[in-house]
Amino acid sequence: MTEQATTSMDIHEILNYLPHRYPFVLVDRVLSLELNKEIVAVKNVTINEPFFPGHFPYHPVMPGVLIVEAMAQAAAILSFKTMNTKPNDQSVYYFAGMDNVRFKKPVSPGDQLILKVSIDRILRGIWKYKGEALVDGVVVAEADMMCILKAID
């Protein structure tokens, strides 16, 4: 293993690289991470998620926006690790845009989302990524995302 690659991160380390907390942490484990390149992470989808009672009571489906948010959180971990820094109370890592978002299949309780996110480019502090979420090897969602680290005024 090189310094550029991390084989995995558990939830304890993930919480050091995400400012989110329950109920909004959407990454449970990092399977692999290569600095300046890509991350593969896991979101275990359970019936205990706070959104399932309302989305939908008769047929629980994970909201697509939360699938994209999970990809963005994986991207944030990749970015913070790449920058060799951690989130703090002086700045926020914002979603700046989404393009080419596609939802291809519903995600249900019991599914395990595999989040694959790669850095497309970094330009003037704007990070661009390509992401996809898979269940059982099948792409269920994909998106091009942009994020930016901004100081809190």
Side-chain angles (χ1 to χ4, degrees):
M1 181 174 83
T2 68
E3 287 183 33
Q4 290 283 87
T6 300
T7 55
S8 68
M9 292 170 63
D10 65 16
I11 190 63
H12 303 290
E13 189 173 1
I14 288 167
L15 291 174
N16 289 322
Y17 289 93
L18 281 180
H20 307 80
R21 292 298 178 261
Y22 176 84
F24 215 66
V25 176
L26 298 174
V27 177
D28 293 316
R29 177 169 290 282
V30 172
L31 300 176
S32 65
L33 185 149
E34 187 173 346
L35 299 178
N36 295 300
K37 189 171 181 191
E38 65 185 8
I39 186 171
V40 178
V42 172
K43 164 64 179 142
N44 293 308
V45 182
T46 73
I47 193 64
N48 296 326
E49 307 286 353
F51 47 81
F52 280 136
H55 199 266
F56 302 99
Y58 54 89
H59 183 72
V61 175
M62 184 174 184
V65 295
L66 293 180
I67 297 170
V68 176
E69 173 65 25
M71 289 189 283
Q73 288 184 19
I77 295 166
L78 173 59
S79 298
F80 281 118
K81 290 285 279 186
T82 294
M83 292 184 288
N84 194 29
T85 190
K86 294 179 181 177
N88 59 54
D89 61 358
Q90 304 300 310
S91 62
V92 175
Y93 200 67
Y94 284 118
F95 228 150
M98 296 178 276
D99 293 310
N100 304 312
V101 178
R102 298 289 179 265
F103 302 107
K104 298 177 176 264
K105 186 177 178 228
V107 174
S108 303
D111 287 341
Q112 184 177 66
L113 277 176
I114 302 297
L115 310 164
K116 294 184 176 183
V117 180
S118 60
I119 296 172
D120 191 30
R121 66 180 171 262
I122 306 165
L123 184 62
R124 291 181 226 152
I126 298 174
W127 295 64
K128 294 189 176 189
Y129 312 89
K130 292 198 174 294
E132 60 181 15
L134 301 94
V135 173
D136 295 329
V138 176
V139 176
V140 296
E142 58 189 12
D144 296 334
M145 302 169 290
M146 292 186 299
C147 296
I148 187 166
L149 187 63
K150 294 285 259 184
I152 297 174
D153 295 333

